Amino acid sequence: MGKGESLSHGVLRSILLSYSYVAIWIFLSFSVIVYNKYILDKKMYNWPFPISLTIIHMSFCSTLAFFLIKVFRFVEPVSMSRDLYLSSVVPIGALYSLSLWLSNSAYIYLSVSFIQMLKALMPVAVYSLGVLFKKEAFKTDTMANMLSISLGVAIAAYGEARFDTWGVVLQLGAVAFEATRLVMIQILLTSKGITLNPITSLYYVAPCCLVFLLVPWIYVEFPALKETSEFHLDFLIFGTNSLCAFALNLSVFLLVGKTSALTMNVAGVVKDWLLIAFSWSVIKDTVTPINLFGYGLAFLGVAYYNHSKLQALKAREAQKTTGQADVEAAKFLKETQGEVTGTKTGSQN
């Protein structure tokens, strides 16, 4: 009885911890998105300098990552040769800087709710690039699912009350660069047996992003910032904003490490709906019925895609377990035969 009770307590504790990790990640992701919107939107804090904001984030994150790895030894650094850094990390850093720049820029022109709807295209972009680079097998049913997601997003865009072409171009560009970055991580790092957790990723990638962002910043935003002489950097606003961005990376490490990447994808869908509700009820963004119908269609496509991924993962795990069982059975049979053969030989002697 005591054993059963301890087991149930252990299972309950595990479930509560998993939900806690999900809740922390949703809260931090939600906070960073809303905070960035608040800073960049001309009707709110009115600081429309997305490159500068991204540079502040990367400076803060790279500094903290350095201290966590080199000073506090929170995680061990990954062995990285100069050639590997230049051939793998630098291209990934360039793509990441472009993705962050464009996604932050989109908040100036589009509502939070509509941006989340456009982000539903991420699985479409990742799968299409995976097929292009031969990292994913082309399947007709998967491609049909991708088309249904695209159709849903197109309907949501058609129903958007504050549709801004330039904002949509920026967000779609961000999705394309982020999808390319994810595929490149698989090609350039994972295929070489190198995995980076969020802290080591920031340690290696954030300084690289910083360098790439400085080039457009000098020509695009620096002249405008010089003219804004009355502006003084608010350390409370930008410090807490950067801290939230860094904490979000740590929560990704925690969530994926303690649950799975698929759990994060499912949690991401919940977060998107919460952001849409928040955008409509608090920020007072207009969310039309056509918006919701289109995103609902896209949501069903994304949910089906996640379900298919889960089933494929379970099938691989089952096949792996069966394979291990077969190997162990063959090993046991061989050892048993050896024992029998040894016994017969001894009796003959």
Side-chain angles (χ1 to χ4, degrees), residues 81-290:
S81 67
R82 183 172 174 271
D83 289 341
L84 182 63
Y85 186 84
L86 291 174
S87 63
S88 300
V89 176
V90 170
I92 289 168
L95 290 166
Y96 193 36
S97 62
L98 288 167
S99 170
L100 290 172
W101 171 16
L102 297 183
S103 62
N104 281 335
S105 299
Y107 285 110
I108 299 173
Y109 305 95
L110 301 175
S111 67
V112 170
S113 57
F114 187 45
I115 285 174
Q116 300 315 120
M117 293 175 190
L118 291 175
K119 282 182 180 178
L121 287 171
M122 185 62 74
V124 179
V126 172
Y127 177 74
S128 301
L129 287 168
V131 171
L132 183 65
F133 287 104
K134 297 182 178 178
K135 286 293 174 182
E136 291 271 3
F138 178 84
K139 295 179 180 177
T140 307
D141 57 340
T142 305
M143 186 52 72
N145 185 33
M146 296 298 109
L147 290 173
S148 71
I149 295 171
S150 303
L151 176 63
V153 173
I155 293 170
Y158 176 76
E160 175 59 20
R162 286 182 53 200
F163 187 91
D164 185 283
T165 304
W166 179 235
V168 171
V169 169
L170 289 171
Q171 185 55 47
L172 292 181
V175 168
F177 283 122
E178 179 62 11
T180 308
R181 183 183 76 91
L182 294 174
V183 174
M184 287 296 107
I185 287 173
Q186 189 179 358
I187 294 171
L188 298 175
L189 292 178
T190 310
S191 61
K192 296 175 184 177
I194 295 172
T195 55
L196 298 176
N197 62 54
I199 299 174
T200 50
S201 291
L202 289 172
Y203 177 75
Y204 289 110
V205 176
C208 185
C209 286
L210 199 57
V211 173
F212 278 110
L213 288 166
L214 283 173
V215 178
W217 179 77
I218 290 169
Y219 294 101
V220 177
E221 292 188 2
F222 180 62
L225 281 168
K226 275 202 307 183
E227 293 176 6
T228 316
S229 56
E230 73 275 4
F231 174 77
H232 298 286
L233 193 66
D234 190 328
F235 288 100
L236 179 62
I237 292 290
F238 291 97
T240 52
N241 178 245
S242 299
L243 188 61
C244 284
F246 185 80
L248 176 60
N249 281 278
L250 292 185
S251 71
V252 171
F253 181 40
L254 188 69
L255 181 60
V256 176
K258 299 296 183 180
T259 56
S260 68
L262 192 66
T263 301
M264 194 177 80
N265 287 341
V266 174
V269 173
V270 176
K271 178 208 68 181
D272 290 344
W273 280 110
L274 288 173
L275 277 166
I276 290 170
F278 179 85
S279 177
W280 170 72
S281 61
V282 179
I283 305 178
K284 302 302 179 183
D285 285 333
T286 303
V287 180
T288 66
I290 298 176

